[in-house]
């Protein structure tokens, strides 16, 4: 499975800044046990039910980001991401909860509440470049972790149906375009904004790992 690459020196700097977090993420018991099929169902149930709530806010954040876009092409791109995210959310709700016999969560967990509040705050209140940097890990890190899981997954394990959803050429193409956009925005940003973008990207990546930490405590 190919890696999703940085688009230039600015997004490479972002990825380098989170490399240790990413390594901790792919070595995390949640990722390893999911790939091997040994993850406790209670842990997976918490993950899946909360992921649906996460997607609802993430889709809203993408719609808000689209409204800040400086041109029609990027506006339509982020609107498309939000629509696709809504379709994924519906699929999770209608198919995966039933398949794995998991109940829908009524409230966001502390980790998801913290993460989505961060994303929505940036989408509502930050300039386009900073909001985009905050949302990029939702795609870049998720895609990279998903690709890693596919390389280590044991065939026909209990979570095979879920693992199979990680692979999507279209999703990887969307991610690459998102990276390209953030690279362009970073190259046009002054040093203060660039540092804010780097910080937001790093925090989002950490929040992804924090969610996995929470999952394994259930």
């Amino acid at each position: 499975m190919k890696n999703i690459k940085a688009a230039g020196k600015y997004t490479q700097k972002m990825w380098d800044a989170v490399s240790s977090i990413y390594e901790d993420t792919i070595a995390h018991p949640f990722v390893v046990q999911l790939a091997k099929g040994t993850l406790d169902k209670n842990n997976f149930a918490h993950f899946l039910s909360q992921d649906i709530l996460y997607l609802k806010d993430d889709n809203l954040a993408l719609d808000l980001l689209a409204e800040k876009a400086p041109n029609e092409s990027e506006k339509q791109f982020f609107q498309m991401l939000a629509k696709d995210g809504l379709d994924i959310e519906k699929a999770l709700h209608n198919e995966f909860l039933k398949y794995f016999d998991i109940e829908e969560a009524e409230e966001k967990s502390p980790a998801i509440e913290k993460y989505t509040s961060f994303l929505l705050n940036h989408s509502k209140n930050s300039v386009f470049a900073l909001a985009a940097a905050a949302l990029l890990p939702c795609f870049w890190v998720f895609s990279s972790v998903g690709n890693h899981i596919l390389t280590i997954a044991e065939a026909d394990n209990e979570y095979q149906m879920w693992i199979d959803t990680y692979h999507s050429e279209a999703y990887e193409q969307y991610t690459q375009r998102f990276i390209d956009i953030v690279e362009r925005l970073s190259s046009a940003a002054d040093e203060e904004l660039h540092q804010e973008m780097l910080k937001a990207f790093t925090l989002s990546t950490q929040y992804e790992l924090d969610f996995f930490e929470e999952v394994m405590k259930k």
Side-chain angles (χ1 to χ4, degrees):
M1 191 66 62
K2 66 181 184 298
N3 292 325
I4 301 172
K5 301 292 186 181
K9 67 177 183 179
Y10 294 100
T11 45
Q12 185 63 57
K13 184 177 181 180
M14 288 180 170
W15 190 257
D16 290 344
V18 302
S19 61
S20 63
I21 302 174
Y22 176 71
E23 291 301 321
D24 287 344
T25 301
I26 61 174
H28 195 276
F30 171 76
V31 171
V32 175
Q33 292 177 25
L34 179 67
K36 291 183 179 297
T38 59
L39 183 67
D40 186 276
K41 185 179 177 181
N42 289 330
N43 299 122
F44 183 75
H46 179 70
F47 165 75
L48 189 59
S49 61
Q50 287 298 316
D51 196 42
I52 292 173
L53 298 181
Y54 160 80
L55 282 169
K56 290 181 179 181
D57 281 351
D58 186 55
N59 298 338
L60 175 57
L62 287 165
D63 270 329
L64 292 168
L65 182 64
E67 293 304 312
K68 295 176 182 284
N71 57 64
E72 189 63 24
S73 175
E74 290 175 5
K75 179 177 181 178
Q76 291 179 0
F77 173 66
F78 288 113
Q79 286 175 333
M80 177 186 64
L81 292 186
K83 180 182 180 302
D84 282 358
L86 180 61
D87 291 341
I88 293 170
E89 175 199 324
K90 289 179 179 178
L92 290 177
H93 186 275
N94 295 331
E95 297 175 26
F96 286 95
L97 288 182
K98 293 179 181 178
Y99 180 83
F100 290 107
D101 191 25
I102 293 170
E103 293 184 1
E104 182 177 2
E106 296 182 359
E107 296 183 357
K108 284 178 280 189
S109 68
I112 290 300
E113 177 65 41
K114 189 174 183 179
Y115 190 9
T116 58
S117 294
F118 175 78
L119 297 178
L120 287 169
N121 179 60
H122 273 300
S123 293
K124 291 175 182 177
N125 301 314
S126 297
V127 297
F128 179 69
L130 181 52
L135 278 160
L136 178 56
C138 309
F139 289 81
W140 197 357
V141 174
F142 183 85
S143 292
S144 299
V145 172
N147 284 348
H148 174 76
I149 288 174
L150 285 166
T151 66
I152 65 172
E154 296 188 6
D156 300 322
N157 79 56
E158 184 178 7
Y159 302 113
Q160 188 68 48
M161 181 180 177
W162 171 256
I163 292 170
D164 288 342
T165 67
Y166 274 110
H167 179 59
S168 167
E169 289 294 333
Y171 192 81
E172 290 188 5
Q173 291 173 4
Y174 295 161
T175 300
Q176 196 64 63
R177 185 177 178 192
F178 201 156
I179 295 169
D180 292 342
I181 290 171
V182 171
E183 177 69 26
R184 177 183 60 77
L185 294 168
S186 297
S187 66
D190 60 28
E191 183 60 23
E192 180 180 0
L193 178 55
H194 177 67
Q195 290 302 318
E196 289 178 352
M197 293 171 70
L198 185 63
K199 180 180 179 181
F201 182 85
T202 303
L203 280 172
S204 280
T205 305
Q206 181 62 53
Y207 290 148
E208 296 266 355
L209 178 57
D210 290 347
F211 178 42
F212 291 169
E213 283 287 322
E214 179 185 74
V215 165
M216 296 308 290
K217 294 177 182 177
K218 292 296 179 181

